[in-house]
Amino acid sequence: MEEKNGRSIKRKVAVVGGGLVGALNACFFAKRGFDVEVFETREDIRKAKVVKGRSINLALSHRGRQALKHVGMEEKIISKGIPMHARMIHSLNGKQSPIPYGRKGQFILSVDRANLNKELLTEAETYPNTKLNFDHKLQDWSAETGLMTFARSDGSNEQIKADLIVGCDGAFSAIRKQFLRRSRFNYSQTYIPHGYMELTMPPINGEFAMKPNYLHIWPRNTFMMIALPNLDKTFTCTLFMPFEDFEKITTGDEVIEFFQKYFPDTIPLIGVDALKMDYFRLPAQAMVSVKCSPYHIGDKCVLMGDAAHAVVPFYGQGMNAGFEDCLVFEEIMDQLNEDFSTVLPEYTRVRAPDDHAIADLAMYNYIEMRAHVNSKWFIFRKHVDNILHFLMPKTITPLYTMVTFTRTRYHEAVDRWHWQNKVINRGLLFSATGAVLGGSYLLIKSPPEITKLMVPAEKMWDRLVLLWTP
Ligand code: FAD
């Protein structure tokens, strides 16, 4: 509230973009008592027959849940999610091996994107100080006056002014375009060579076709497929592959040949005819990583969610980071008494290093998920990390745990991960050296009949790995 001539006036906040982050942000600002208006280019998805948009389901984890909790939405969303306790790795020969995400009881949730968005819009609307405007596409806005121009589908324009503009209009943000016209705005975007395509695995006899409480992964080094469960007992499979490989497959028979070679266990589960059709339903979609800074202009405008930091989807953190943006902004609003002139720069100062860190980590996981999970060393190290975390929870925390199950700042998680890696690798090196020296000593000192019984050195490694593999 602001005082003017002895009267208190509610300040107006315009949230541009009614996607996941915009709808949640509207709840945050409404809860604080601002006069909130959301402007969304699409029609109201709660009334639409077909909901267009990216991935069908998403992995929700701790950061996102904490933000939902703040506006009283956590339980409602969790009740419609499916817990995934581990990755389930599918090897070429059909063998399935689980790699747990964290300790017992820790899980991520598969949630339906459209339902989540609808629930958040409905929640925002329950505040009497919130108005949702659909079919409003932001065309232009002024950083000096806060005046925004929206285009409607009937060809008309509407002009609206706000005290604060919150840009939640996604990776190709129209709000961000004004930032690009200004000096000292850093911006980079990278398209990765991979695209993604979604395929549906139907239920079999009314039940899930695979174990439901896992995020299934078929890592194939240069490409991979993942599958997340849905409430209707289907799985949404997402194939991530270089565009040039997508383009090489041009007929239904080639699709089946490709799946026979790389994902044979999925053919009977998806179905030959469905595969042939689904593959050509939509072209593969591109994935972009966007980094920028600062996130604000004066006391007038701030970017959040994908508008500030689109990340590739391989850490399952894009939405979670966007939801956490709302929470971090909220915390700074508390600290600085809702004074936009100090809150906005502080938000950039605090949040940009963390969003940049998760963008980098997501790129790192882009390789880890499709290639490293095939490596015995990777699996061995994951188990070492988990065991050390079990023995010394305060000293060693796996990176995935910090990112997914805590609110450790992303950039601090990365720093700590580098430090831990150094310590653990040195420890392993010392242990291995000690073992080799000890073994050599025994060999020299032992009688020949004992030497014969010893395991040859080249077999030792395989046995060690087998010992750690679940
Ligand atoms: P968006 O969801 O893009 O919403 C932006 C909104 O703004 C849209 O509704 C759009 O219509 C509207 N808009 C755009 N332009 C205008 C305009 N000019 N005027 C008015 N409105 C406008 N994240 C996770 O946390 N976990 C996952 O498992 C996960 N999986 C993913 C899988 C894939 C394949 C992809 C592509 C992404 C995934 N993500 C995941 C990332 C997640 O989808 C995004 O981070 C999240 O959608 C960002 O939300 P947002 O509201 O910032 O942007």
Side-chain angles (χ1 to χ4, degrees):
M1 298 263 188
E2 239 179 6
E3 291 277 325
K4 216 170 200 178
N5 303 330
R7 279 190 314 131
S8 53
I9 300 171
K10 277 195 217 159
R11 281 179 292 171
K12 182 162 176 162
V13 174
V15 178
V16 177
L20 298 174
V21 176
L24 178 66
N25 235 336
C27 300
F28 271 84
F29 282 104
K31 197 164 169 239
R32 295 195 86 94
F34 289 98
D35 185 3
V36 181
E37 282 207 52
V38 177
F39 299 94
E40 166 58 47
T41 188
R42 293 179 295 175
E43 61 181 315
D44 187 343
I45 54 166
R46 293 165 302 175
K47 295 175 190 153
K49 286 201 185 84
V50 184
V51 180
K52 279 189 262 166
R54 283 174 300 164
S55 68
I56 291 163
N57 49 24
L58 301 134
L60 172 70
S61 50
H62 183 73
R63 294 169 202 265
R65 283 177 63 167
Q66 288 301 106
L68 291 169
K69 188 176 181 175
H70 200 85
V71 294
M73 289 292 287
E74 190 191 16
E75 288 312 317
K76 197 171 202 172
I77 301 303
I78 290 180
S79 67
K80 290 185 185 150
I82 301 179
M84 299 181 288
H85 297 274
R87 314 159 182 88
M88 182 65 89
I89 308 299
H90 294 243
S91 45
L92 254 183
N93 62 12
K95 188 180 163 219
Q96 299 186 25
S97 327
I99 306 180
Y101 277 122
R103 278 179 300 180
K104 215 171 170 228
Q106 282 181 324
F107 56 85
I108 55 177
L109 276 160
S110 173
V111 296
D112 180 297
R113 176 193 287 272
N115 179 62
L116 177 57
N117 205 161
K118 287 176 191 173
E119 298 269 18
L120 288 172
L121 289 169
T122 301
E123 179 65 17
E125 232 172 16
T126 59
Y127 293 90
N129 46 334
T130 299
K131 185 176 170 213
L132 306 182
N133 303 280
F134 296 98
D135 181 25
H136 277 69
K137 182 178 176 139
L138 182 93
Q139 294 286 78
D140 204 3
W141 67 281
S142 157
E144 281 68 44
T145 60
L147 187 72
M148 294 165 284
T149 306
F150 293 96
R152 313 283 317 270
S153 56
D154 62 7
S156 64
N157 276 349
E158 206 172 313
Q159 291 206 308
I160 288 143
K161 221 172 164 179
D163 297 298
L164 178 68
I165 299 170
V166 187
C168 298
D169 52 345
F172 305 100
S173 168
I175 289 283
R176 202 177 55 216
K177 283 191 187 132
Q178 273 293 344
F179 284 66
L180 284 161
R181 291 188 197 138
R182 300 172 80 88
S183 159
R184 297 177 60 207
F185 178 65
N186 295 310
Y187 177 80
S188 71
Q189 75 172 43
T190 309
Y191 279 95
I192 55 171
H194 283 60
Y196 73 92
M197 175 181 282
E198 290 184 320
L199 306 163
T200 304
M201 184 183 284
I204 294 181
N205 299 328
E207 283 308 319
F208 281 106
M210 301 184 295
K211 288 185 180 162
N213 296 111
Y214 294 89
L215 193 155
H216 293 261
I217 309 179
W218 292 258
R220 300 294 181 258
N221 290 318
T222 55
F223 56 90
M224 69 166 176
M225 189 161 78
I226 65 167
L228 272 73
N230 298 309
L231 274 188
D232 63 2
K233 308 226 164 133
T234 59
F235 275 93
T236 303
C237 307
T238 312
L239 173 61
F240 295 96
M241 192 160 73
F243 276 100
E244 56 191 41
D245 291 342
F246 273 117
E247 283 150 18
K248 277 185 202 150
I249 299 171
T250 54
T251 65
D253 288 343
E254 283 170 2
V255 175
I256 302 302
E257 208 177 299
F258 171 75
F259 270 73
Q260 194 62 56
K261 192 163 176 195
Y262 296 108
F263 312 113
D265 55 337
T266 64
I267 297 180
L269 306 182
I270 300 178
V272 171
D273 292 338
L275 248 180
K276 284 182 177 176
M277 286 225 318
D278 255 22
Y279 190 92
F280 298 103
R281 207 167 34 90
L282 279 175
Q285 308 289 303
M287 284 168 285
V288 68
S289 180
V290 171
K291 276 190 196 173
C292 67
S293 175
Y295 290 159
H296 71 285
I297 296 181
D299 60 355
K300 267 279 162 298
C301 180
V302 62
L303 299 173
M304 290 195 212
D306 276 17
H309 50 80
V311 304
V312 290
F314 304 103
Y315 227 109
Q317 282 294 309
M319 166 194 67
N320 286 290
F323 281 5
E324 195 182 42
D325 287 350
C326 307
L327 200 48
V328 170
F329 194 83
E330 174 84 354
E331 287 158 0
I332 296 173
M333 287 279 270
D334 281 340
Q335 285 158 22
L336 300 175
N337 276 330
E338 299 184 350
D339 173 2
F340 293 151
S341 67
T342 52
V343 167
L344 269 54
E346 179 64 2
Y347 176 73
T348 291
R349 190 189 70 77
V350 171
R351 196 60 181 159
D354 289 324
D355 289 333
H356 292 178
I358 191 58
D360 292 341
L361 271 182
M363 278 290 191
Y364 165 81
N365 229 32
Y366 168 43
I367 300 166
E368 177 170 306
M369 274 182 88
R370 68 191 150 92
H372 291 176
V373 287
N374 282 328
S375 124
K376 287 183 176 172
W377 171 251
F378 171 83
I379 295 170
F380 170 68
R381 271 305 313 273
K382 275 259 175 286
H383 284 287
V384 171
D385 289 0
N386 285 340
I387 287 171
L388 290 175
H389 178 49
F390 178 74
L391 296 174
M392 303 178 279
K394 291 217 169 94
T395 317
I396 303 288
T397 311
L399 175 66
Y400 192 86
T401 301
M402 286 189 272
V403 169
T404 310
F405 300 119
T406 75
R407 278 202 61 209
T408 307
R409 291 184 59 187
Y410 287 123
H411 87 273
E412 284 173 7
V414 173
D415 290 348
R416 198 165 153 189
W417 173 53
H418 288 314
W419 175 80
Q420 288 181 175
N421 271 346
K422 225 188 263 174
V423 172
I424 296 172
N425 286 341
R426 275 187 198 161
L428 288 172
L429 187 69
F430 281 132
S431 316
T433 314
V436 169
L437 290 177
S440 312
Y441 177 79
L442 278 177
L443 269 175
I444 295 161
K445 292 280 174 193
S446 305
E449 50 285 7
I450 295 191
T451 317
K452 267 192 229 151
L453 293 174
M454 288 183 152
V455 180
E458 69 271 14
K459 283 202 179 152
M460 275 300 283
W461 173 247
D462 281 352
R463 292 203 175 178
L464 201 58
V465 170
L466 272 178
L467 200 69
W468 291 88
T469 310

